[in-house]
Amino acid sequence: MKIHPKLLTTSQEIAELAQGLKGKERISFDTEFIRETTFFPIVEIIQVASDSGSWLIDAQAFKKSPDGLRPLLDIFEDPKVLKIIHASQGDQECIYTAFGVVA
């Protein structure tokens, strides 16, 4: 597995990641969020991994333009892809609250 040390911050990087994840049988993801001073969690980082690599996404880089994450969110919504999620209730709440997606 290749570890990608660069934090993904652009729509182009997300599109390339999503293209690489297409057709995968399973992926894993985890979110890092802030909840201390808000009613809903604020997604800061999304961690994604497959059998071929792992990536970190700066969710705040897409705050003004969440459509830049759409290719990755499409992978999250794909019922043919098994998603392995640590503490899924919090992660699913984050993804739904921030992007309206049920993974």
Side-chain angles (χ1 to χ4, degrees), residues 41-97:
I42 299 170
V43 182
E44 297 292 330
I45 299 289
I46 303 171
Q47 303 166 69
V48 178
S50 73
D51 57 350
S52 60
S54 63
W55 301 264
L56 291 175
I57 299 146
D58 180 356
Q60 287 299 301
F62 299 93
K63 186 176 181 178
K64 292 183 181 177
S65 181
D67 288 343
L69 283 175
R70 177 47 48 196
L72 179 61
L73 298 175
D74 289 343
I75 300 290
F76 286 176
E77 290 183 305
D78 186 345
K80 293 178 254 171
V81 179
L82 174 65
K83 274 70 77 181
I84 301 164
I85 308 169
H86 173 261
S88 64
Q89 181 179 353
D91 294 326
Q92 289 181 333
E93 180 184 7
C94 281
I95 297 296
Y96 180 77
T97 300

Side-chain angles (χ1 to χ4, degrees), residues 14-60:
I14 297 301
E16 290 171 7
L17 169 58
Q19 186 62 37
L21 294 175
K22 278 188 180 176
K24 297 285 184 187
E25 291 183 20
R26 64 186 167 273
I27 65 167
S28 62
F29 76 88
D30 187 37
T31 60
E32 301 300 332
F33 55 91
I34 297 173
R35 172 179 245 142
E36 287 79 20
T37 60
T38 64
F39 185 71
F40 294 106
I42 299 170
V43 182
E44 297 292 330
I45 299 289
I46 303 171
Q47 303 166 69
V48 178
S50 73
D51 57 350
S52 60
S54 63
W55 301 264
L56 291 175
I57 299 146
D58 180 356
Q60 287 299 301

